[in-house]
């Protein structure tokens, strides 16, 4: 969890130590097109899944609105309900289904590229897992603040004080 070599987690869900060892993460690798006005605020990421028999990584580019959507999904999950994220069809999508006993089923569907769906159970999550995910989201927003403003449809400029 956290950052290593410039990579930070937006999502990190893992079974508690001593259980299955399953985990799913969304790792932010950096800005998609740093310094380019129309792509600067997009984030180059990967969804990483680890189980006993599967290790998979799905590339994904996140838009600023995807972070807001993740915040909304966390609010739904905090209420104990199932949530979906990244349902636009342009990226792999994620579904989260609490199982009622403190666990969570997570599915990643890579519709745009491979068509593969991977579903993994996380049997025992800490009771603070939603708050931990909110903390990760806050950290991503601190490290990668929005620096581009859309002043009118299709017209962009650097926010004041962030770029020359």
């Amino acid at each position: 969890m956290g950052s290593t070599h410039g990579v930070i987690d937006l999502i990190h869900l893992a079974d508690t130590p001593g259980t299955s060892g399953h985990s799913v993460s969304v790792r932010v690798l950096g800005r998609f097109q740093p310094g380019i006005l129309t792509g600067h605020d997009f984030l180059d990421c990967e969804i990483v899944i680890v189980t006993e028999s599967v290790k998979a990584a799905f590339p994904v580019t996140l838009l600023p609105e995807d972070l807001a959507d993740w915040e909304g999904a966390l609010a739904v999950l905090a209420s104990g309900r199932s949530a979906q994220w990244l349902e636009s069809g342009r990226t792999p999508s994620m579904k989260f289904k609490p199982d009622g006993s403190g666990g969570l089923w997570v599915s990643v569907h890579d519709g745009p590229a491979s068509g593969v769906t991977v579903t993994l159970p996380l049997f025992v999550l800490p009771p603070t897992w939603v708050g931990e995910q909110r903390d990760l989201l806050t950290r991503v927003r601190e490290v990668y603040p929005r620096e581009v403003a859309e002043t009118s449809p299709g017209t962009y400029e650097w926010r004041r004080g962030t770029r020359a």
Side-chain angles (χ1 to χ4, degrees):
M1 193 147 112
S3 71
T4 57
H5 302 94
V7 174
I8 62 173
D9 288 335
L10 170 62
I11 298 173
H12 183 81
L13 297 165
D15 268 335
T16 56
T19 57
S20 74
H22 294 177
S23 68
V24 61
S25 299
V26 175
R27 300 166 20 132
V28 179
L29 308 173
R31 292 197 185 269
F32 178 65
Q33 295 178 319
I36 298 174
L37 193 62
T38 54
H40 183 80
D41 283 346
F42 298 176
L43 299 177
D44 185 25
C45 303
E46 64 183 356
I47 300 169
V48 179
I49 294 172
V50 176
T51 72
E52 302 92 344
S53 58
V54 174
K55 289 182 174 59
F58 302 94
V60 62
T61 301
L62 297 181
L63 309 178
E65 51 267 26
D66 294 329
L67 298 181
D69 291 345
W70 176 234
E71 186 172 28
L74 284 171
V76 171
L77 288 165
S79 72
R81 296 178 292 151
S82 297
Q84 298 180 29
W85 184 52
L86 300 175
E87 290 291 313
S88 70
R90 67 175 168 73
T91 67
S93 61
M94 298 183 76
K95 294 181 182 177
F96 304 86
K97 182 179 180 185
D99 71 6
S101 64
L104 183 71
W105 287 82
V106 180
S107 294
V108 176
H109 176 65
D110 184 27
S114 67
V116 169
T117 299
V118 178
T119 301
L120 67 147
L122 299 168
F123 297 106
V124 183
L125 292 169
T128 58
W129 72 269
V130 173
E132 291 169 2
Q133 302 316 300
R134 285 183 174 134
D135 291 345
L136 292 174
L137 174 58
T138 297
R139 174 82 173 125
V140 167
R141 286 176 166 160
E142 288 170 353
V143 172
Y144 297 103
R146 288 193 71 171
E147 295 182 308
V148 176
E150 186 172 12
T151 56
S152 62
T155 305
Y156 302 90
E157 66 181 35
W158 295 109
R159 291 185 187 268
R160 293 184 187 164
T162 58
R163 293 277 175 210

